[in-house]
């Protein structure tokens, strides 16, 4: 996914921090094999828009993640 997103490595580190913070704030929040794909996609999208100066449209990231733009926006 890294080579397709064209973003810095710090984006992925920050995405993991966001997921970790979500777990700390909500003990009912569980990361498992059924939701990790969508969690990483949403966290990477937030991270790339926060940290990088140049990023693509949500439709590009939805295509990479294999989800619809509507679902990505909901995440």
């Amino acid at each position: 996914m890294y080579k397709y997103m064209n973003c810095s490595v710090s984006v992925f580190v920050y995405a993991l921090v966001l997921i970790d913070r979500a777990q700390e704030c909500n003990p009912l929040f569980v990361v498992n094999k059924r939701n990790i794909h969508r969690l990483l996609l949403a966290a990477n999208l937030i991270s790339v828009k926060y940290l990088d100066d140049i990023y693509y449209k949500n439709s590009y990231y939805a295509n990479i993640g294999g989800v619809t733009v509507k679902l990505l926006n909901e995440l």
Side-chain angles (χ1 to χ4, degrees), residues 9-33:
V9 177
S10 59
V11 167
F12 296 105
V13 174
Y14 189 67
L16 293 175
V17 169
L18 289 176
I19 292 172
D20 185 54
R21 286 182 183 174
Q23 284 184 308
E24 287 179 2
C25 293
N26 186 359
L28 299 177
F29 182 79
V30 178
V31 176
N32 56 36
K33 65 181 180 180

Side-chain angles (χ1 to χ4, degrees), residues 1-15 44 47-56 61:
M1 184 188 290
Y2 173 69
K3 66 181 180 177
Y4 298 114
M5 289 190 66
N6 295 328
C7 59
S8 59
V9 177
S10 59
V11 167
F12 296 105
V13 174
Y14 189 67
N44 281 333
S47 300
V48 76
K49 288 190 174 189
Y50 182 72
L51 294 175
D52 286 353
D53 294 332
I54 299 172
Y55 51 86
Y56 299 104
Y61 296 111

Side-chain angles (χ1 to χ4, degrees), residues 38 41-42 45 49 56-75:
R38 291 180 177 182
L41 182 62
L45 179 66
K49 288 190 174 189
Y56 299 104
K57 294 181 179 181
N58 286 2
S59 59
Y60 178 78
Y61 296 111
N63 189 21
I64 290 173
V67 298
T68 63
V69 177
K70 181 182 177 187
L71 178 62
L72 182 61
N73 291 337
E74 290 174 2
L75 292 174

